[in-house]
Amino acid sequence: MSILLKNIKELLQVRPEAPNMIRGYDMRKLPTLTDAWLLCEGDEIVDFGSMDTCPESSEAQSIDCSGQIVLPSWCDSHTHLVYAGNREQEFVDRINGLSYQEIAAKGGGIVNSAETLQHTSEEALYEQSANRLQEVIQLGTGAIEIKSGYGLTTAAEVKMLRVAKRLEETFGITVRRTFLGAHAVPKDFKNYKNGYIDLLINEMLPQVAEEQLAHYVDVFCESGYFSVADTERILEAAARFELIPKIHVNQFNSIGGVGVGVAHNALSVDHLEVLEAEDIEALQGSQTIPVALPSCSFFLGIPYTPGRKLIDNGLPLALATDYNPGSSPSGNMNFVVASACIKMNLSPEEAINAATINGAYAMGLSETHGSITPGKRANLIITKPIPSYGFLPYAFGSNLIDRVILNGTLQ
Ligand code: NIG
Ligand code: FE
């Protein structure tokens, strides 16, 4: 099956030879081609060019994209999309004055979601998660990372990762799976955190590895959750199973998580709403990409990650949704791109680079995703007719997507 997109008003993120990620000042540049065509064959991008070189193809399904912009699908490198139930009561509690931390201290938060998930069958968990995945695919997401971490028992953590695996098999979208057993200390281990870490290292990790359920390991490195020393212990154990770190750091406090992530060759360090000079220093010269999650800041009313500062210091930046029931019940990458421009002062070019090619890097998918490059996956967003790509973040509340193509197939 071939698809030929014709008369594309502007084709974005055109990179005949794509770098694996983009840093600093280079993020301001978004290569584009106006009045373009793009040919996909099977699940791959084959070629593109300007309309005066458009090939004749009788075999390909031809789509007229007059007035429309085409770009690579969003790469959402940080989600907790597999979860059970919701936490709208906690949302209302926050409106009435309780803080996120106060709710967690009362037994709400992550352990609340874990209790619900433990009592949800694998089938029901799959159904709920499949609905969310279907929604985000229509919103333009073409590759996604999904974490465990709402199980907090071996059986429930494994259940989450199996569901994430089945989602990839069913929907065909590339799913990178991350083991986040260290998301919170479960109630049974309330005063015995080390006992939980022992269980995580001696039972959960070996089983996750045995079933090849995860590509990455994550830890919520934060005051009241897992310390830097806990994080180190877990990352070292995970390294024995070849699990690369992608970790939650600096959401509420800067306690040294960035440094520990970089020291353990983390692929990404995520959140960074609180950022100190030493965190920026730790990231300089590393291969670890910072990931900002502006929907979480929006929903919790906490500071936005100083993305401008990270980029101005020559660092790369990726953007992701953090889709989860407690701090970001939205998997909408379009909103993420818009809020990065509106609240973090990124230019549209920077935000689009952060949500495509840099998002791919933050999932280890730079070779196959995140840019319009021959040989890469044919994962595309076709917008509605819009005046320019700056309109995408500008008209932040509108759905501006006309069609999406996933693995060379119109959805
Ligand atoms: O990334 N910070 C830790 N984990 C999630 C939120 C967890 C929850 O509240 O359920 C996050 O924001
Ligand atoms: Fe998260």
Side-chain angles (χ1 to χ4, degrees), residues 110-152:
I110 296 164
V111 294
N112 177 5
S113 285
E115 232 159 79
T116 310
L117 190 141
Q118 287 161 13
H119 295 107
T120 302
S121 71
E122 190 163 324
E123 194 55 34
L125 184 62
Y126 172 79
E127 290 303 330
Q128 292 182 29
S129 308
N131 282 338
R132 291 181 205 118
L133 185 62
Q134 250 162 334
E135 186 194 2
V136 303
I137 289 172
Q138 292 305 329
L139 289 168
T141 296
I144 191 164
E145 184 256 14
I146 302 178
K147 300 173 193 298
S148 69
Y150 288 119
L152 309 183

Side-chain angles (χ1 to χ4, degrees), residues 17 36 45 67 103 112 138 159 195 210 238 256 262 266 279 310 325 350:
E17 276 167 44
I45 295 169
I103 291 166
N112 177 5
Q138 292 305 329
K159 176 165 72 178
E210 162 83 28
V262 171
D279 299 318
L310 288 162
E350 288 170 326

